[in-house]
Amino acid sequence: MSQVVLRNLAVGYGGHPVLNNVNIQLMKGRFTCILGPNGSGKTTLLKTLAHLLPALGGVVEIDGRDLTQFTSAQLAREMSVVLTERVQLENTTCFEVAAMGRAPHTGFFGVLTNEDKKFVLDCLEKCSALYLKDKLFHQISEGEKQKVLIARGLAQDPHVFILDEPTSHLDIKYKLEVLSTLKKLCTQEGKTVVCTLHEPELAAKCSDYLILVRDGEIPRWGPTQELVEGGEISQLYGLKPNQLDLHIGSVEFCASCQKDFFLIGSDARSVSLMRTLANQGVGVGAGVLHENDFLCRMVRSMGGQVVTVPSYTPIDCAKQQEALDLALEYRCIALADFPDCEITRGNLELAQKLRQLGREVFPADLSRVETALAKDGK
Ligand code: ADP
C-alpha cells in the first residue's frame, strides 16, 4: 500500500527544474533508498517531498491528501526530516536537542512528561547515542551530531521519516547501526522511511525499494531485488557494467584489459592474489570456475574474462576447451591449490594439457607469479 504518492512532480529552483515528471510511490512500512550520482537531484527531491521546497509542478500526496493542504503542525506529526545541513546549537545538551523532536506532541508550553523523556532516551539509545545525552551538542563530533539529529527525528514519532544521507560522517559500525534502526522502524513499527544514500552496496542490503536518479529523471524505481538483478546500478554511477556487483555487495578496481595472468580454478588465497595482481596493473582472467564461486563475480567486476560451469557440476569437455583457448592468450598461467574431486578434476586435466602444449603452469603463489610476470617483461 502506498502512503506517499509523487504525481507528475517537477522539482528544482527558481523555476528551473532539476527533475521532471516524477511519478513514484513510497510504500507504507517500507524502506526506500534514493541513489544517484552527486548533483543528480536526490536532495532536491527529498526537500520537495518534505515540503521544504515548493514543487514546480505536480503534487505530493500523503494518504491521498495533497501535502499543501496540511498545516505545519499536522505535517510535523506526519513526517520528520533530517537533512545534512549543519545545525548550530550552542549550550544545548544532546538530550535537549533530541527532545526538540517531541515538540509536535508536547502542547503549547513544550513541557515534557516523564513518558516523553523516556521516549527521547529510547530514541537516543536506538541511535547508539545515549552516552551523549548530557554532553553539549556543539562539543561533539560530526558523526555524533548525526546520531543525535536522527534521534531527534525519531523523537518526533512520524509516520514518514525522511533523511538526507543519514550515514555521512559515520564509521562503518554506526552506518550499519543507523540503517538497521531505520529498517526496524519499518518492519516493527510500520513507519515509512525514505533516505538518500551514498553507499549503493548498503542500500541494496537494507532497502525494500530503490529510486534511481540520473540526468534530470528517474530512469528506474521499484523493488530493490529487481533493480539489483537488472544490473543498472553500476551504470547509474558511470561504472563498467559488472564493476559494482550488488549481489555480493562488492565493488572492485578495474584491472588492466591486457591478458597477463590466468588462474585455473580457485583456492582460499585466490581472492587476495587476484586483488594484489590487479592493483599492480596486471590484467587477470580465470577458469574454469563454478558459478557460486565468489571469484567469478570478483574477476568479472575487475573487467576480466571468466569461463564458468554451473555450481557443483563437473567441468565438461567444451568448457575445458574454452578455458584452454582463453588461457593460451595469457602471458602467465597458474594453478590454484584445490582438492582433486569429481567437480574439479577437469581443471587438473586443463593444466596438464597446457603443459603438454609447452606452456609453463605455476603454482598460484604470489611471489612465484610476480617473478614469472617480471621475467616475462612486466
Ligand atoms: P544531489 O543531492 O543528488 O547531490 P542536489 O539535489 O543537491 O543533488 O542538486 C541537484 C542540482 O540542483 C545540482 O545541479 C545543484 O547544483 C542544484 N542546486 C542545489 N541546490 C540549489 C539551490 N539552492 N539553488 C539552485 N540550484 C541548486
Side-chain angles (χ1 to χ4, degrees):
M1 182 183 137
S2 57
Q3 180 161 31
V4 183
V5 177
L6 283 60
R7 219 185 288 285
N8 299 324
L9 195 70
V11 304
Y13 304 89
H16 299 290
V18 171
L19 292 173
N20 259 318
N21 206 21
V22 177
N23 286 290
I24 47 183
Q25 292 150 34
L26 304 179
M27 306 299 168
K28 189 171 170 54
R30 298 285 184 234
F31 190 171
T32 301
C33 285
I34 305 177
L35 296 178
N38 290 331
S40 57
K42 303 180 295 297
T43 303
T44 311
L45 180 62
L46 271 196
K47 283 186 175 167
T48 313
L49 173 60
H51 204 40
L52 298 172
L53 202 61
L56 300 185
V59 287
V60 178
E61 289 170 3
I62 298 187
D63 291 329
R65 198 170 149 206
D66 188 335
L67 200 67
T68 56
Q69 291 170 7
F70 285 75
T71 64
S72 47
Q74 285 171 334
L75 210 52
R77 279 193 291 273
E78 206 58 47
M79 58 165 65
S80 72
V81 188
V82 180
L83 297 177
T84 50
E85 272 124 44
R86 296 221 169 138
V87 177
Q88 299 294 347
L89 288 165
E90 302 267 319
N91 297 322
T92 312
T93 67
C94 293
F95 176 83
E96 288 164 342
V97 173
M100 288 172 187
R102 291 306 291 159
H105 305 276
T106 52
F108 185 74
F109 294 106
V111 179
L112 296 178
T113 63
N114 284 341
E115 266 177 33
D116 285 320
K117 287 179 190 162
K118 184 172 177 316
F119 193 83
V120 173
L121 291 173
D122 278 353
C123 293
L124 283 165
E125 186 162 26
K126 280 181 188 170
C127 296
S128 310
L130 191 57
Y131 72 101
L132 295 168
K133 71 180 168 56
D134 299 318
K135 295 203 173 179
L136 290 175
F137 185 76
H138 73 277
Q139 289 179 347
I140 61 174
S141 75
E142 288 304 314
E144 290 173 325
K145 283 181 184 165
Q146 185 92 346
K147 293 194 285 181
V148 174
L149 292 175
I150 294 172
R152 183 177 72 171
L154 277 183
Q156 209 173 314
D157 196 20
H159 297 127
V160 181
F161 198 8
I162 301 171
L163 306 99
D164 195 14
E165 298 175 29
T167 54
S168 61
H169 303 299
L170 299 182
D171 66 35
I172 186 68
K173 176 173 181 282
Y174 289 127
K175 276 182 207 280
L176 295 175
E177 278 187 16
V178 163
L179 291 174
S180 73
T181 299
L182 296 176
K183 181 113 192 94
K184 275 191 214 145
L185 282 180
C186 300
T187 53
Q188 295 176 4
E189 299 179 32
K191 310 275 188 205
T192 303
V193 177
V194 56
C195 71
T196 59
L197 275 189
H198 275 305
E199 300 92 349
E201 65 284 12
L202 290 181
K205 286 169 189 162
C206 68
S207 67
D208 302 302
Y209 286 83
L210 290 175
I211 298 170
L212 310 188
V213 183
R214 188 173 183 178
D215 297 333
E217 56 167 20
I218 310 266
R220 280 289 302 276
W221 75 276
T224 300
Q225 222 42 48
E226 275 178 28
L227 269 65
V228 164
E229 273 157 28
E232 286 149 273
I233 298 169
S234 221
Q235 291 156 41
L236 183 74
Y237 293 97
L239 298 173
K240 301 249 165 68
N242 296 308
Q243 196 176 355
L244 177 63
D245 186 335
L246 292 179
H247 278 283
I248 48 171
S250 149
V251 65
E252 297 293 338
F253 291 93
C254 261
S256 151
C257 54
Q258 294 181 80
K259 296 198 166 156
D260 297 314
F261 175 71
F262 188 89
L263 181 66
I264 302 173
S266 73
D267 61 41
R269 295 173 307 165
S270 302
V271 166
S272 64
L273 174 76
M274 293 304 234
R275 283 208 178 116
T276 306
L277 293 174
N279 282 342
Q280 292 172 12
V282 174
V284 295
V288 178
L289 298 179
H290 290 91
E291 282 289 354
N292 61 335
D293 189 334
F294 175 86
L295 199 70
C296 271
R297 291 183 165 273
M298 198 187 95
V299 174
R300 283 193 192 117
S301 285
M302 290 171 164
Q305 278 178 272
V306 190
V307 178
T308 64
V309 287
S311 311
Y312 309 110
T313 59
I315 295 160
D316 58 68
C317 294
K319 284 293 174 181
Q320 195 186 80
Q321 185 62 44
E322 191 183 327
L324 185 132
D325 292 340
L326 184 62
L328 286 172
E329 296 175 25
Y330 283 74
R331 294 194 297 116
C332 175
I333 304 169
L335 179 64
D337 184 18
F338 49 83
D340 177 4
C341 64
E342 195 189 347
I343 63 168
T344 60
R345 196 153 302 138
N347 274 335
L348 296 174
E349 291 165 12
L350 169 62
Q352 191 58 26
K353 285 181 183 169
L354 284 161
R355 286 184 181 119
Q356 282 164 2
L357 290 169
R359 289 298 305 265
E360 208 165 347
V361 178
F362 299 92
D365 169 83
L366 181 62
S367 60
R368 294 286 295 274
V369 172
E370 282 176 335
T371 310
L373 284 166
K375 209 160 70 181
D376 198 30
K378 182 87 193 170

